[in-house]
Amino acid sequence: MEKALEGELEKGQIVISKAGRDKGKHMVVAKVESETYVLLVDGSSRKVASPKRKKVKHIAKTLTVIEGFGAMIERDDADACIRKILYSYKQPGKERE
């Protein structure tokens, strides 16, 4: 994982939902549609095949970007990989790469 620059969202960036029924949930940006909307996945309730469309104003950015995310979502086990990454990211006291 690498640190993202402040400002623009990018594909593979970990974000936190600020509104809606998924409030407080960590998700990954699968695609930036426009300045207003992004597509989000979490590997469990929102899989790569059916991402969640959400307004940018309803998410909180983190500085973490998953390296090689574009190649990862093409694999058959993409959802499992995303779940594993988000689980390790949320665990307090765990070392993050």
Side-chain angles (χ1 to χ4, degrees), residues 4-86:
L5 297 174
E6 296 277 340
E8 298 287 322
L9 282 168
E10 58 185 279
K11 189 175 186 176
Q13 188 167 4
I14 297 176
V15 297
I16 303 168
S17 176
K18 295 191 308 187
R21 68 178 69 173
D22 56 1
K23 184 177 180 178
K25 192 170 190 179
H26 288 78
M27 302 180 103
V28 181
V29 176
K31 182 179 178 184
V32 178
E33 285 191 328
S34 65
E35 291 182 12
T36 310
Y37 289 100
V38 293
L39 296 178
L40 303 173
V41 295
D42 66 2
S44 56
S45 61
R46 287 298 175 169
K47 299 187 187 274
V48 173
S50 60
K52 168 73 176 160
R53 186 173 190 238
K54 199 159 187 87
K55 287 189 175 186
V56 172
K57 69 180 183 178
H58 293 152
I59 58 174
K61 303 172 195 172
T62 68
L63 298 179
T64 306
V65 177
I66 301 169
E67 293 178 38
F69 183 75
M72 179 194 301
I73 60 173
E74 299 297 323
R75 296 174 23 188
D76 291 337
D77 64 342
D79 293 315
C81 291
I82 292 168
R83 282 192 307 269
K84 184 177 177 183
I85 289 169
L86 289 177

